[in-house]
Amino acid sequence: MARVIRGRAWVLGDNISTDHIISGKYKFAKINRLEDMLPYVLEEVIPGFYKKLRPGDVIVAGRGFGYGSSREHAPRLLKLAGVGAVLAKSFHRIFYRNSINIGLPVIVVRKLPDVTRQGDEVEVDLEAGVARNLTRGVEERFQPPPARLLEILEAGGIVEYIRKTGRLPW
């Protein structure tokens, strides 16, 4: 994971649940591998999302992103699909924590969701704490993740961090 993420914006509204991200019907279907669920990511919100997504694209959403089930499948599938980061006005706590644990950057922003349109070019500098809508010339500062959290994200999540360093980050 790069500390600067740049991609097209996929704009979603408020209250995107984990079932919007990946319907629970696939969790219990006869799908053996997580990768086999990728074509169904956000299918009910953006038909064909997985085929349209480019690596590094950024989801920009409103309030309450990731509410619902505590399944790790939702953030893991977003990451596997190629989503570079999720920017939202607020996240549900378990989704936020699961995202960090698997290495998906999730950033709270207040202004960008209101000005960003589908397909705008977005850049997120995690270290500097700046998110930019390059298409519209709008910049927003956020509290950058602590250095240790950046290391976890760069490693690809907590498990990969432990594999690489041989220790817990705290």
Side-chain angles (χ1 to χ4, degrees), residues 1 13 20 27 37 107 140 165:
M1 184 220 67
H20 287 113
K27 168 68 174 142
M37 292 185 202
I107 305 296
E140 181 172 355
T165 65

Side-chain angles (χ1 to χ4, degrees), residues 15-17 63-68 90-99:
N15 299 315
I16 299 297
S17 73
R63 291 176 180 81
F65 192 88
Y67 80 88
S90 67
F91 293 91
H92 279 258
R93 190 173 65 207
I94 192 72
F95 179 87
Y96 186 90
R97 185 169 183 115
N98 282 339
S99 296

Side-chain angles (χ1 to χ4, degrees), residues 44-56:
E44 294 172 12
V45 181
I46 303 171
F49 174 76
Y50 177 65
K51 290 181 180 177
K52 298 172 188 174
L53 183 73
R54 293 186 210 145

Side-chain angles (χ1 to χ4, degrees), residues 66-108:
Y67 80 88
S69 168
S70 62
R71 291 187 309 265
E72 232 181 56
H73 286 65
R76 187 174 299 281
L77 283 165
L78 290 176
K79 181 180 173 187
L80 281 173
V83 171
V86 180
L87 306 178
K89 289 185 177 183
S90 67
F91 293 91
H92 279 258
R93 190 173 65 207
I94 192 72
F95 179 87
Y96 186 90
R97 185 169 183 115
N98 282 339
S99 296
I100 298 302
N101 284 344
I102 60 97
L104 176 66
V106 283
I107 305 296
V108 174

Side-chain angles (χ1 to χ4, degrees), residues 28-41:
F28 304 105
K30 293 181 180 178
I31 297 176
N32 295 324
R33 298 175 333 128
L34 194 61
E35 293 82 2
D36 294 337
M37 292 185 202
L38 284 170
Y40 309 110
V41 171

Side-chain angles (χ1 to χ4, degrees), residues 22 30 58 63 66 121 155-156 160 164:
I22 186 67
K30 293 181 180 178
V58 177
R63 291 176 180 81
E121 191 75 15
E160 290 304 314
K164 291 175 182 174

Side-chain angles (χ1 to χ4, degrees), residues 146-163:
R148 198 62 60 131
L149 190 61
L150 280 174
E151 291 172 11
I152 292 169
L153 289 171
E154 279 185 322
I158 191 70
V159 171
E160 290 304 314
Y161 178 88
I162 293 168
R163 274 192 191 127

